[in-house]
């Protein structure tokens, strides 16, 4: 009995131990399963997060792609994308997949006045309206883009001849000549159009450039003008494109130079300052005329970089002239283009840098640079004047609103256009006298350009003009030539300035 009791006891203990171990194994198994389930949940969660991140990155890339190649306001392709479209169109012609195409560039007339007068919201509505109008009335297969503030482009395989392009341009000109909805207002100022047709061998970029040249020529003819690029002038167009490319390279390589033309006090003939003038030396030793390259620099925007460089170089030269013996307060005049005034931030930065080098900087601004947006120009010029720069209104007397300019803007000086100085007629002399009298009444200095002999100099002295400048007194010269004159104690002085 005792042995059986012991056996039963041992068996019970063994069973209890086995049950306990089994329970522990079960608990561990349950815990392991729970851990695996949690791991699976975490894995699914991580996978879902990764999918969300991938989706967000895809959306971000799509958004960047949209911003890179599309106009955010109208949703149309931008200039970058339009160049791609033109390149593909040219490739399709080369491959025989297309018979040809044309490009039309449309510039909304007086858009800036509309935008400034009624506000940006109305201006944006006008751009939206123009985009919708183009989308609704362009040929099948045409591609539309917005290239700039008020410029749209159209690429169409439906117009493969100059006659086709002209007919389409006329249709669009008539369409935009009628007022269309611009939010709560109507826009009906019309468009100016330049067009070009692809010719064998043309790259897409060339066709855009030809259309742009046609647009610029159309603008010169007047608002609502339409012009199709003439292949007969293609060699001239190619020369223009080559000149643009050469100019960009010349600016990057610092191949341009500044010449300096002395400006003298009318009475006494003492040196008063200089005007810095850009020159572009050619490889053959000659010079590319500023009449050729300055308008190109203005149209392409490279004038901004060129102008900033000129301000710095002119300021450095003025310091060198002063150290060589020039009068301490002699001023350095530098021309400022309309395009630079539009890039106000860059202009102010360049002028600040020049003033730190030499404090007597005078900025010469033409009327054409301020008439498009007088309020904005007045703000920028006022800022420049407050920073220490002097301001001269260049070519005074040639613009329709010159008298208004004198009162609206903070000029120190009026530069009298040379046409009134070289004209010996009684009418020109009377006008010259009026300009000098007006300037004196407003406490402004005057600089008479185009002085070519002592008699003219003497007449301007009697009238009371402040300063004189011209080939008859001194021609523009490089920095080293002027420094050489100071070194030889031959400081320039105007003769017969009694």
């Amino acid at each position: 009995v005792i042995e059986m009791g012991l056996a039963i006891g041992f068996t019970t203990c063994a069973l209890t131990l086995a049950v306990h171990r089994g329970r522990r194994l079960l608990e561990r198994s349950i815990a392991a399963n729970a851990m695996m389930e949690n791991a699976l949940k975490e894995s699914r969660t991580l996978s879902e997060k990764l999918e969300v991140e991938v989706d967000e990155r895809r959306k971000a890339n799509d958004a960047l792609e949209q911003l890179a190649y599309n106009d955010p306001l109208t949703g149309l392709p931008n200039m970058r994308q339009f160049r791609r479209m033109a390149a593909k169109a040219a490739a399709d012609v080369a491959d025989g997949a297309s018979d040809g195409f044309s490009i039309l560039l449309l510039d909304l007339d007086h858009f800036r006045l509309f935008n400034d007068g009624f506000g940006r919201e109305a201006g944006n509505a006008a751009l939206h309206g123009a985009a919708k109008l183009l989308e609704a009335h362009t040929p099948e297969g045409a591609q539309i883009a917005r290239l700039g503030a008020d410029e749209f482009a159209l690429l169409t395989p439906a117009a493969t001849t100059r006659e086709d392009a002209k007919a389409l341009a006329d249709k669009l000109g008539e369409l935009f000549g009628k007022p269309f909805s611009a939010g709560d207002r109507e826009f009906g100022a019309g468009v100016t159009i330049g067009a070009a047709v692809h010719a064998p061998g043309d790259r897409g970029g060339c066709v855009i450039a030809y259309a742009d040249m046609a647009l610029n020529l159309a603008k010169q003819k007047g608002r609502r003008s339409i012009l199709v690029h003439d292949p007969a002038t293609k060699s001239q167009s190619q020369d223009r494109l080559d000149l643009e490319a050469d100019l960009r390279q010349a600016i990057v390589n610092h191949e341009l130079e500044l010449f300096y033309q002395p400006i003298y006090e009318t009475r006494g003939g003492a040196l008063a300052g200089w005007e810095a003038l850009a020159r572009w030396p050619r490889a053959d030793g000659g010079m590319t005329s500023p009449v050729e390259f300055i308008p190109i620099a203005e149209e392409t925007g490279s004038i901004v970089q060129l102008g900033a460089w000129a301000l710095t170089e002119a300021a450095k030269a003025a310091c060198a002239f002063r150290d060589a013996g020039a009068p301490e307060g002699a001023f350095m005049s530098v021309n400022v283009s309309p395009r630079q005034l539009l890039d106000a931030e860059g202009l102010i930065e360049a002028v600040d840098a020049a003033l730190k080098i030499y404090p007597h900087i005078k900025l010469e601004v033409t009327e054409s640079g301020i008439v498009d947006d007088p309020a904005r120009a007045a703000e920028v010029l006022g800022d420049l004047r407050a920073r220490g720069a002097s301001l001269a209104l260049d070519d005074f007397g040639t613009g329709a609103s010159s008298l208004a300019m004198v009162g609206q803007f903070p000029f120190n000086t009026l530069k009298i256009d040379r046409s009134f100085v070289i004209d010996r007629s009684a009418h020109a002399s009377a006008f010259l006298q009026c300009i000098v009298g007006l300037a004196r009444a407003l406490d402004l200095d005057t600089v008479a350009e185009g002085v070519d002999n002592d008699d003219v100099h003497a007449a301007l002295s009697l009238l009371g003009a402040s300063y004189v400048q011209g080939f008859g007194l001194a021609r523009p010269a490089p920095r080293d030539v002027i420094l050489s004159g100071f070194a030889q104690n031959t400081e320039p002085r105007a003769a017969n300035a009694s």
Side-chain angles (χ1 to χ4, degrees), residues 332-407:
M332 176 61 72
S333 289
V334 183
N335 291 281
V336 173
S337 79
R339 193 68 172 261
Q340 285 176 277
L341 282 175
L342 292 176
D343 180 31
E345 185 176 344
L347 176 60
I348 290 171
E349 182 179 344
V351 171
D352 279 344
L355 289 171
K356 289 178 181 177
I357 299 171
Y358 189 75
H360 307 295
I361 298 294
K362 182 174 289 190
L363 307 176
E364 297 192 6
V365 182
T366 60
E367 181 181 315
S368 62
I370 53 183
V371 292
D372 284 344
D373 194 347
R376 176 61 175 155
E379 179 183 349
V380 175
L381 294 177
D383 193 354
L384 292 170
R385 176 76 183 269
R387 291 168 181 270
S390 297
L391 302 174
L393 179 57
D394 200 9
D395 299 335
F396 183 78
T398 59
S401 55
S402 290
L403 291 177
M405 295 296 164
V406 178

Side-chain angles (χ1 to χ4, degrees), residues 105-107 151 192-195 208-223 225-229 240-241 244 295-296 298-300 339:
L105 302 183
L106 296 82
D107 189 275
E151 188 173 311
T192 301
I193 302 175
I208 296 175
Y210 297 148
D212 188 53
M213 290 176 194
L215 177 61
N216 288 330
L217 290 173
K219 288 180 180 178
Q220 294 175 20
K221 292 175 62 178
R223 301 293 181 182
S225 295
I226 294 172
L227 189 66
V228 181
H229 176 72
R240 163 64 184 258
L241 292 174
E244 284 184 20
I296 292 177
E298 179 73 23
E299 290 173 16
T300 60
R339 193 68 172 261

